[in-house]
Amino acid sequence: MEHAQVDEVCLEQTQKYCVERPIYNQELLEGQLHRRERTPQTLRQKIAHSCRCSSKKAKSHLYSFLPILKWLPHYRVREYLLGDIISGISTGVMQLPQGLAYAMLAAVPPVFGLYSSFYPVFLYTFFGTSKHISIGTFAVISMMVGGVAVREVPDEIISVGYNSTNVTDTPEYYNDRDTKRVQVAVTLAFLTGIIQLCLGLLRFGFVAIYLTEPLVRGFTTAAAVHVFTSQLKYLLGIKTKRYSGPLSVVYSIAAVLSNITTTNITALVIGLTCIVLLFIGKEINLRFKKQLPVPIPMEIIVVIIGTGVSAGMNLNESYKVDVVGNIPQGLRPPAVPEMQLIPAIFVDAIAIAIVGFSMAVSMAKIFALKHGYTINGNQELIALGICNSVGSFFQSFSVTCSMSRSLVQESTGGKTQIAGTLSSIMVLLVIVAIGYLFEPLPQTVLAAIVMVNLKGMFKQFGDVAHFWRTSRIELAIWVVAFVASLFLGLDYGLLTAIAFAMITIIYRTQSPQYRILGQIPDTDIYCNVEEYEEVKEYPGIKIFQANASLYFANSESYTSALKKKTGVDPCAVLAARKKARKRHAREIKAANKLKKKAVLKLVNLTNDVEANVKHEIANDELPVNGKFASADASVPDTSPEEHEHFVEPKANIHSLILDFAPVNFVDSVGAKTLKSIIKEYKEIGVCVCIASCSGELRGFCELYGGQCVSSLPSGPEFSAVRYLSSINTLHNIGFEEKQARMH
């Protein structure tokens, strides 16, 4: 058995194939093929076809828009229900304190965090395609919402209508400020949802690909720093202004340090104790993950303990510890968002929509790949858009997927979206029945929960070392995203990071890698000749490859790299030829002058000899055939055979192959550059061919470059032998030309 396996492995390693076929170029190949006839449809026919609806098509669209109709009838109760119940309870227990805490980040009262943890989560059950992500409040999105709310409703505007010198301590001030900020947050959620919904309906789910992983990780790391600094005042019990916009982190830290002497020691002790307990609970959950049936819900435990201690010791009145305050029971009636705020927050809504979608779809893809199902990016956009836009009518702010809750929902056995529904029902019970019990909860406890949940984001600082080893360009994207988001604010920082990422794409296409390919002996495999010693080139043939498309930004670098790598510059060769011709002409001219002088000298000397020494014996000195030996020595050989020995500078190659396999597109500038390359090399006797060029590229090049753009066979059917037969042909052509010159 072992011998059979060894023989099979050896057979796999020594398998060979042989391809025998005529040698084609593109013109000959197309001459033997027949194109399929396609009748183009008119615009009216296209519209009629798209509007045509059958029962099957209508059913498909309905299932696509409401995925619950597809998976709920096939729900396996015995297999899925227990896991979904445990997962829903665990996620709901985690969602309660996070909803309260992240509402503080959004600059709205805590109860609105509970609303945002109920409506969107419940709606996602019907429209979402991921079975494991947990929709709801998230630190980064909440921080972005809070920045917009504080910018549009700063403390100075609210204090104008009050005459008291200490207006910030009055309940009317807080009510008025919070009401206006809730209006901003709700309108922002509505606009964010509409943008996501429109992008989803227009099938623009691909926009998330422009948020590359280094950009997102750098952005979220900077957001973690923003969130951490914003919670310092709650942890220390300090009264400071909330800042937003550029340098808000610097201003927040400076405000905390300037008021550090007013720290509430009781609030600080409670907060630090909660941080320690939360870290211990998370470490236990991590180390004993396999032994524990469900993770220890340390956050809700800390909330319950903090609420009990605060109520029993009356921390608010006795020690001036800030508490959550009023949590109204029941659900609010729906209300229309303030539409007049839309122009002021439109750009922020776009940023929140894109960031929220990228967070959700990235986590959804991870779980889908792990559990073997697929998600629809466009439907995820639609689902998030409905969650945000519809939820805004019920006073919820912008939401997205939470990383920590999603991991809990998946790790505790969640199988379907039912787990999310159960978690939202738990939040509903708190809102309707027992929400008032959390009114004594100290705000420092919520600050501790927020800070501890940032642990995973702060670990992303390790990306710097990782990207330093792997890709300096991705490191630059990470650093720019982090620094810009940290100092310019999350909105402007995100736009700056996206712009820089686009610039890196242009830089990469402007500075591609150029290489000369050679053949591995006895194979049809071609590799970079500078990397492997075994790779050999055919004499007189160069294969040039660039790993980027040819367009206006890199056409000049493509031409210069081609001349440098091949060692043949047509302009230099033509200039050398011209210089050699001029030099040869000068030499002939000088030789003619010398010849003329020698003839005149010879004539004069002959006359003198005839006049003065007619009777002397000078037969030996007389010229032979009219020439003297001394004169012959001074006259250069200017016979016509001399021109035959003159050799013009020639290129050391006779054929050049441009490998277009990595080329995705060519613009008009690139096509004209290609035409110029072919024309220049043709002038010095070098044949230029294009290999692995798609039909679309070839047609475009011929449109702008003319029929001089010739190509070797292309397409997947020629990928394995794209050079071999053509190189043999070119090699034979070069050999025949050499033989002809020799004869």
Side-chain angles (χ1 to χ4, degrees), residues 468-494:
W468 177 266
R469 294 190 302 267
T470 57
S471 174
R472 303 294 172 85
I473 293 180
E474 290 188 336
L475 174 63
I477 294 174
W478 193 99
V479 172
V480 169
F482 174 78
V483 174
S485 301
L486 185 64
F487 294 106
L488 298 180
L490 297 179
D491 45 4
Y492 294 112
L494 179 63

PDB file of all heavy atoms in Angstrom, residues 468-494:
ATOM      1  N   TRP A 468       4.957  46.606   8.937  1.00  0.00           N
ATOM      2  CA  TRP A 468       6.361  46.950   8.696  1.00  0.00           C
ATOM      3  C   TRP A 468       7.102  45.782   8.049  1.00  0.00           C
ATOM      4  O   TRP A 468       7.957  45.967   7.190  1.00  0.00           O
ATOM      5  CB  TRP A 468       7.027  47.365   9.993  1.00  0.00           C
ATOM      6  CG  TRP A 468       8.493  47.679   9.852  1.00  0.00           C
ATOM      7  CD1 TRP A 468       9.549  46.835  10.049  1.00  0.00           C
ATOM      8  CD2 TRP A 468       9.056  48.933   9.463  1.00  0.00           C
ATOM      9  NE1 TRP A 468      10.727  47.483   9.810  1.00  0.00           N
ATOM     10  CE2 TRP A 468      10.465  48.774   9.449  1.00  0.00           C
ATOM     11  CE3 TRP A 468       8.508  50.180   9.125  1.00  0.00           C
ATOM     12  CZ2 TRP A 468      11.331  49.813   9.107  1.00  0.00           C
ATOM     13  CZ3 TRP A 468       9.373  51.207   8.792  1.00  0.00           C
ATOM     14  CH2 TRP A 468      10.756  51.021   8.787  1.00  0.00           C
ATOM     15  N   ARG A 469       6.742  44.571   8.480  1.00  0.00           N
ATOM     16  CA  ARG A 469       7.395  43.383   7.912  1.00  0.00           C
ATOM     17  C   ARG A 469       6.824  42.990   6.562  1.00  0.00           C
ATOM     18  O   ARG A 469       7.542  42.437   5.726  1.00  0.00           O
ATOM     19  CB  ARG A 469       7.262  42.197   8.869  1.00  0.00           C
ATOM     20  CG  ARG A 469       7.997  42.358  10.180  1.00  0.00           C
ATOM     21  CD  ARG A 469       8.011  41.054  10.959  1.00  0.00           C
ATOM     22  NE  ARG A 469       6.656  40.582  11.226  1.00  0.00           N
ATOM     23  CZ  ARG A 469       5.977  40.858  12.328  1.00  0.00           C
ATOM     24  NH1 ARG A 469       6.532  41.623  13.263  1.00  0.00           N
ATOM     25  NH2 ARG A 469       4.751  40.396  12.504  1.00  0.00           N
ATOM     26  N   THR A 470       5.550  43.254   6.331  1.00  0.00           N
ATOM     27  CA  THR A 470       4.890  42.735   5.131  1.00  0.00           C
ATOM     28  C   THR A 470       4.768  43.773   4.018  1.00  0.00           C
ATOM     29  O   THR A 470       5.089  43.482   2.862  1.00  0.00           O
ATOM     30  CB  THR A 470       3.495  42.208   5.491  1.00  0.00           C
ATOM     31  OG1 THR A 470       2.727  43.261   6.114  1.00  0.00           O
ATOM     32  CG2 THR A 470       3.594  41.033   6.443  1.00  0.00           C
ATOM     33  N   SER A 471       4.284  44.978   4.328  1.00  0.00           N
ATOM     34  CA  SER A 471       4.031  45.971   3.275  1.00  0.00           C
ATOM     35  C   SER A 471       4.151  47.372   3.859  1.00  0.00           C
ATOM     36  O   SER A 471       3.362  47.756   4.735  1.00  0.00           O
ATOM     37  CB  SER A 471       2.643  45.766   2.670  1.00  0.00           C
ATOM     38  OG  SER A 471       2.340  46.798   1.762  1.00  0.00           O
ATOM     39  N   ARG A 472       5.115  48.120   3.358  1.00  0.00           N
ATOM     40  CA  ARG A 472       5.297  49.494   3.840  1.00  0.00           C
ATOM     41  C   ARG A 472       4.168  50.402   3.358  1.00  0.00           C
ATOM     42  O   ARG A 472       3.812  51.370   4.043  1.00  0.00           O
ATOM     43  CB  ARG A 472       6.646  50.041   3.351  1.00  0.00           C
ATOM     44  CG  ARG A 472       7.841  49.196   3.764  1.00  0.00           C
ATOM     45  CD  ARG A 472       8.045  49.211   5.258  1.00  0.00           C
ATOM     46  NE  ARG A 472       9.071  48.272   5.689  1.00  0.00           N
ATOM     47  CZ  ARG A 472      10.378  48.524   5.711  1.00  0.00           C
ATOM     48  NH1 ARG A 472      10.815  49.702   5.299  1.00  0.00           N
ATOM     49  NH2 ARG A 472      11.238  47.620   6.136  1.00  0.00           N
ATOM     50  N   ILE A 473       3.609  50.111   2.194  1.00  0.00           N
ATOM     51  CA  ILE A 473       2.503  50.945   1.694  1.00  0.00           C
ATOM     52  C   ILE A 473       1.277  50.779   2.584  1.00  0.00           C
ATOM     53  O   ILE A 473       0.605  51.756   2.938  1.00  0.00           O
ATOM     54  CB  ILE A 473       2.185  50.581   0.235  1.00  0.00           C
ATOM     55  CG1 ILE A 473       3.348  50.978  -0.673  1.00  0.00           C
ATOM     56  CG2 ILE A 473       0.902  51.266  -0.222  1.00  0.00           C
ATOM     57  CD1 ILE A 473       3.129  50.661  -2.128  1.00  0.00           C
ATOM     58  N   GLU A 474       0.963  49.536   2.971  1.00  0.00           N
ATOM     59  CA  GLU A 474      -0.172  49.313   3.869  1.00  0.00           C
ATOM     60  C   GLU A 474       0.103  49.915   5.245  1.00  0.00           C
ATOM     61  O   GLU A 474      -0.812  50.386   5.918  1.00  0.00           O
ATOM     62  CB  GLU A 474      -0.461  47.824   3.981  1.00  0.00           C
ATOM     63  CG  GLU A 474      -1.027  47.230   2.701  1.00  0.00           C
ATOM     64  CD  GLU A 474      -1.484  45.806   2.884  1.00  0.00           C
ATOM     65  OE1 GLU A 474      -0.975  45.133   3.807  1.00  0.00           O
ATOM     66  OE2 GLU A 474      -2.360  45.361   2.116  1.00  0.00           O
ATOM     67  N   LEU A 475       1.359  49.914   5.659  1.00  0.00           N
ATOM     68  CA  LEU A 475       1.717  50.589   6.912  1.00  0.00           C
ATOM     69  C   LEU A 475       1.450  52.086   6.800  1.00  0.00           C
ATOM     70  O   LEU A 475       0.921  52.705   7.741  1.00  0.00           O
ATOM     71  CB  LEU A 475       3.187  50.333   7.238  1.00  0.00           C
ATOM     72  CG  LEU A 475       3.747  51.089   8.452  1.00  0.00           C
ATOM     73  CD1 LEU A 475       3.029  50.681   9.729  1.00  0.00           C
ATOM     74  CD2 LEU A 475       5.250  50.870   8.583  1.00  0.00           C
ATOM     75  N   ALA A 476       1.797  52.671   5.660  1.00  0.00           N
ATOM     76  CA  ALA A 476       1.547  54.100   5.468  1.00  0.00           C
ATOM     77  C   ALA A 476       0.047  54.391   5.510  1.00  0.00           C
ATOM     78  O   ALA A 476      -0.384  55.397   6.090  1.00  0.00           O
ATOM     79  CB  ALA A 476       2.142  54.557   4.138  1.00  0.00           C
ATOM     80  N   ILE A 477      -0.767  53.510   4.903  1.00  0.00           N
ATOM     81  CA  ILE A 477      -2.222  53.699   4.948  1.00  0.00           C
ATOM     82  C   ILE A 477      -2.713  53.642   6.387  1.00  0.00           C
ATOM     83  O   ILE A 477      -3.537  54.464   6.818  1.00  0.00           O
ATOM     84  CB  ILE A 477      -2.919  52.630   4.089  1.00  0.00           C
ATOM     85  CG1 ILE A 477      -2.571  52.823   2.612  1.00  0.00           C
ATOM     86  CG2 ILE A 477      -4.435  52.688   4.276  1.00  0.00           C
ATOM     87  CD1 ILE A 477      -3.109  51.728   1.718  1.00  0.00           C
ATOM     88  N   TRP A 478      -2.230  52.672   7.160  1.00  0.00           N
ATOM     89  CA  TRP A 478      -2.640  52.532   8.564  1.00  0.00           C
ATOM     90  C   TRP A 478      -2.262  53.784   9.360  1.00  0.00           C
ATOM     91  O   TRP A 478      -3.084  54.327  10.114  1.00  0.00           O
ATOM     92  CB  TRP A 478      -1.974  51.302   9.168  1.00  0.00           C
ATOM     93  CG  TRP A 478      -2.525  50.871  10.495  1.00  0.00           C
ATOM     94  CD1 TRP A 478      -3.420  49.885  10.727  1.00  0.00           C
ATOM     95  CD2 TRP A 478      -2.194  51.431  11.793  1.00  0.00           C
ATOM     96  NE1 TRP A 478      -3.687  49.782  12.067  1.00  0.00           N
ATOM     97  CE2 TRP A 478      -2.958  50.713  12.751  1.00  0.00           C
ATOM     98  CE3 TRP A 478      -1.359  52.448  12.228  1.00  0.00           C
ATOM     99  CZ2 TRP A 478      -2.880  50.984  14.110  1.00  0.00           C
ATOM    100  CZ3 TRP A 478      -1.297  52.726  13.591  1.00  0.00           C
ATOM    101  CH2 TRP A 478      -2.047  51.998  14.510  1.00  0.00           C
ATOM    102  N   VAL A 479      -1.028  54.244   9.186  1.00  0.00           N
ATOM    103  CA  VAL A 479      -0.551  55.401   9.961  1.00  0.00           C
ATOM    104  C   VAL A 479      -1.330  56.657   9.579  1.00  0.00           C
ATOM    105  O   VAL A 479      -1.742  57.439  10.453  1.00  0.00           O
ATOM    106  CB  VAL A 479       0.963  55.596   9.740  1.00  0.00           C
ATOM    107  CG1 VAL A 479       1.434  56.905  10.364  1.00  0.00           C
ATOM    108  CG2 VAL A 479       1.741  54.428  10.333  1.00  0.00           C
ATOM    109  N   VAL A 480      -1.548  56.866   8.280  1.00  0.00           N
ATOM    110  CA  VAL A 480      -2.291  58.054   7.848  1.00  0.00           C
ATOM    111  C   VAL A 480      -3.725  58.007   8.368  1.00  0.00           C
ATOM    112  O   VAL A 480      -4.257  59.015   8.842  1.00  0.00           O
ATOM    113  CB  VAL A 480      -2.264  58.167   6.305  1.00  0.00           C
ATOM    114  CG1 VAL A 480      -3.244  59.225   5.829  1.00  0.00           C
ATOM    115  CG2 VAL A 480      -0.862  58.498   5.832  1.00  0.00           C
ATOM    116  N   ALA A 481      -4.357  56.833   8.285  1.00  0.00           N
ATOM    117  CA  ALA A 481      -5.723  56.708   8.793  1.00  0.00           C
ATOM    118  C   ALA A 481      -5.774  56.980  10.291  1.00  0.00           C
ATOM    119  O   ALA A 481      -6.698  57.659  10.777  1.00  0.00           O
ATOM    120  CB  ALA A 481      -6.272  55.314   8.490  1.00  0.00           C
ATOM    121  N   PHE A 482      -4.793  56.485  11.024  1.00  0.00           N
ATOM    122  CA  PHE A 482      -4.774  56.684  12.478  1.00  0.00           C
ATOM    123  C   PHE A 482      -4.519  58.146  12.835  1.00  0.00           C
ATOM    124  O   PHE A 482      -5.268  58.753  13.617  1.00  0.00           O
ATOM    125  CB  PHE A 482      -3.705  55.789  13.104  1.00  0.00           C
ATOM    126  CG  PHE A 482      -3.512  56.016  14.576  1.00  0.00           C
ATOM    127  CD1 PHE A 482      -4.408  55.492  15.496  1.00  0.00           C
ATOM    128  CD2 PHE A 482      -2.442  56.774  15.046  1.00  0.00           C
ATOM    129  CE1 PHE A 482      -4.237  55.705  16.851  1.00  0.00           C
ATOM    130  CE2 PHE A 482      -2.267  56.996  16.401  1.00  0.00           C
ATOM    131  CZ  PHE A 482      -3.172  56.457  17.305  1.00  0.00           C
ATOM    132  N   VAL A 483      -3.473  58.720  12.265  1.00  0.00           N
ATOM    133  CA  VAL A 483      -3.097  60.095  12.619  1.00  0.00           C
ATOM    134  C   VAL A 483      -4.169  61.084  12.175  1.00  0.00           C
ATOM    135  O   VAL A 483      -4.555  61.988  12.931  1.00  0.00           O
ATOM    136  CB  VAL A 483      -1.728  60.444  11.994  1.00  0.00           C
ATOM    137  CG1 VAL A 483      -1.394  61.911  12.238  1.00  0.00           C
ATOM    138  CG2 VAL A 483      -0.635  59.551  12.575  1.00  0.00           C
ATOM    139  N   ALA A 484      -4.669  60.918  10.940  1.00  0.00           N
ATOM    140  CA  ALA A 484      -5.688  61.846  10.443  1.00  0.00           C
ATOM    141  C   ALA A 484      -6.966  61.750  11.264  1.00  0.00           C
ATOM    142  O   ALA A 484      -7.567  62.782  11.619  1.00  0.00           O
ATOM    143  CB  ALA A 484      -5.976  61.558   8.971  1.00  0.00           C
ATOM    144  N   SER A 485      -7.402  60.533  11.582  1.00  0.00           N
ATOM    145  CA  SER A 485      -8.633  60.371  12.368  1.00  0.00           C
ATOM    146  C   SER A 485      -8.448  60.838  13.801  1.00  0.00           C
ATOM    147  O   SER A 485      -9.392  61.313  14.433  1.00  0.00           O
ATOM    148  CB  SER A 485      -9.070  58.899  12.361  1.00  0.00           C
ATOM    149  OG  SER A 485      -9.285  58.447  11.047  1.00  0.00           O
ATOM    150  N   LEU A 486      -7.232  60.732  14.306  1.00  0.00           N
ATOM    151  CA  LEU A 486      -6.976  61.139  15.688  1.00  0.00           C
ATOM    152  C   LEU A 486      -6.999  62.657  15.836  1.00  0.00           C
ATOM    153  O   LEU A 486      -7.582  63.185  16.792  1.00  0.00           O
ATOM    154  CB  LEU A 486      -5.622  60.582  16.139  1.00  0.00           C
ATOM    155  CG  LEU A 486      -5.238  60.814  17.606  1.00  0.00           C
ATOM    156  CD1 LEU A 486      -6.205  60.100  18.529  1.00  0.00           C
ATOM    157  CD2 LEU A 486      -3.814  60.358  17.862  1.00  0.00           C
ATOM    158  N   PHE A 487      -6.398  63.364  14.886  1.00  0.00           N
ATOM    159  CA  PHE A 487      -6.244  64.811  15.048  1.00  0.00           C
ATOM    160  C   PHE A 487      -7.250  65.629  14.246  1.00  0.00           C
ATOM    161  O   PHE A 487      -7.550  66.759  14.625  1.00  0.00           O
ATOM    162  CB  PHE A 487      -4.818  65.233  14.663  1.00  0.00           C
ATOM    163  CG  PHE A 487      -3.769  64.701  15.591  1.00  0.00           C
ATOM    164  CD1 PHE A 487      -2.942  63.670  15.198  1.00  0.00           C
ATOM    165  CD2 PHE A 487      -3.621  65.221  16.868  1.00  0.00           C
ATOM    166  CE1 PHE A 487      -1.973  63.176  16.054  1.00  0.00           C
ATOM    167  CE2 PHE A 487      -2.658  64.735  17.734  1.00  0.00           C
ATOM    168  CZ  PHE A 487      -1.839  63.697  17.326  1.00  0.00           C
ATOM    169  N   LEU A 488      -7.760  65.093  13.144  1.00  0.00           N
ATOM    170  CA  LEU A 488      -8.728  65.845  12.343  1.00  0.00           C
ATOM    171  C   LEU A 488     -10.165  65.518  12.692  1.00  0.00           C
ATOM    172  O   LEU A 488     -11.090  66.163  12.189  1.00  0.00           O
ATOM    173  CB  LEU A 488      -8.506  65.572  10.848  1.00  0.00           C
ATOM    174  CG  LEU A 488      -7.159  65.982  10.270  1.00  0.00           C
ATOM    175  CD1 LEU A 488      -7.097  65.641   8.787  1.00  0.00           C
ATOM    176  CD2 LEU A 488      -6.888  67.458  10.491  1.00  0.00           C
ATOM    177  N   GLY A 489     -10.373  64.498  13.515  1.00  0.00           N
ATOM    178  CA  GLY A 489     -11.727  64.028  13.796  1.00  0.00           C
ATOM    179  C   GLY A 489     -12.036  62.819  12.940  1.00  0.00           C
ATOM    180  O   GLY A 489     -11.405  62.572  11.901  1.00  0.00           O
ATOM    181  N   LEU A 490     -13.045  62.054  13.344  1.00  0.00           N
ATOM    182  CA  LEU A 490     -13.344  60.805  12.659  1.00  0.00           C
ATOM    183  C   LEU A 490     -13.892  61.033  11.254  1.00  0.00           C
ATOM    184  O   LEU A 490     -13.621  60.235  10.346  1.00  0.00           O
ATOM    185  CB  LEU A 490     -14.337  59.987  13.491  1.00  0.00           C
ATOM    186  CG  LEU A 490     -13.839  59.544  14.868  1.00  0.00           C
ATOM    187  CD1 LEU A 490     -14.916  58.768  15.590  1.00  0.00           C
ATOM    188  CD2 LEU A 490     -12.580  58.694  14.741  1.00  0.00           C
ATOM    189  N   ASP A 491     -14.650  62.096  11.042  1.00  0.00           N
ATOM    190  CA  ASP A 491     -15.233  62.328   9.718  1.00  0.00           C
ATOM    191  C   ASP A 491     -14.180  62.762   8.708  1.00  0.00           C
ATOM    192  O   ASP A 491     -13.986  62.136   7.664  1.00  0.00           O
ATOM    193  CB  ASP A 491     -16.364  63.351   9.808  1.00  0.00           C
ATOM    194  CG  ASP A 491     -15.988  64.547  10.664  1.00  0.00           C
ATOM    195  OD1 ASP A 491     -14.829  64.626  11.136  1.00  0.00           O
ATOM    196  OD2 ASP A 491     -16.849  65.434  10.858  1.00  0.00           O
ATOM    197  N   TYR A 492     -13.455  63.848   9.033  1.00  0.00           N
ATOM    198  CA  TYR A 492     -12.414  64.312   8.120  1.00  0.00           C
ATOM    199  C   TYR A 492     -11.251  63.326   8.042  1.00  0.00           C
ATOM    200  O   TYR A 492     -10.598  63.205   6.999  1.00  0.00           O
ATOM    201  CB  TYR A 492     -11.904  65.688   8.557  1.00  0.00           C
ATOM    202  CG  TYR A 492     -12.937  66.780   8.436  1.00  0.00           C
ATOM    203  CD1 TYR A 492     -13.463  67.396   9.557  1.00  0.00           C
ATOM    204  CD2 TYR A 492     -13.401  67.188   7.185  1.00  0.00           C
ATOM    205  CE1 TYR A 492     -14.422  68.392   9.453  1.00  0.00           C
ATOM    206  CE2 TYR A 492     -14.359  68.188   7.071  1.00  0.00           C
ATOM    207  CZ  TYR A 492     -14.859  68.787   8.206  1.00  0.00           C
ATOM    208  OH  TYR A 492     -15.806  69.766   8.084  1.00  0.00           O
ATOM    209  N   GLY A 493     -11.001  62.642   9.132  1.00  0.00           N
ATOM    210  CA  GLY A 493      -9.937  61.640   9.116  1.00  0.00           C
ATOM    211  C   GLY A 493     -10.240  60.506   8.163  1.00  0.00           C
ATOM    212  O   GLY A 493      -9.348  60.021   7.446  1.00  0.00           O
ATOM    213  N   LEU A 494     -11.499  60.071   8.138  1.00  0.00           N
ATOM    214  CA  LEU A 494     -11.879  58.995   7.219  1.00  0.00           C
ATOM    215  C   LEU A 494     -11.736  59.438   5.769  1.00  0.00           C
ATOM    216  O   LEU A 494     -11.210  58.693   4.928  1.00  0.00           O
ATOM    217  CB  LEU A 494     -13.319  58.565   7.500  1.00  0.00           C
ATOM    218  CG  LEU A 494     -13.869  57.459   6.601  1.00  0.00           C
ATOM    219  CD1 LEU A 494     -13.086  56.174   6.787  1.00  0.00           C
ATOM    220  CD2 LEU A 494     -15.352  57.227   6.887  1.00  0.00           C
TER     221      LEU A 494
END
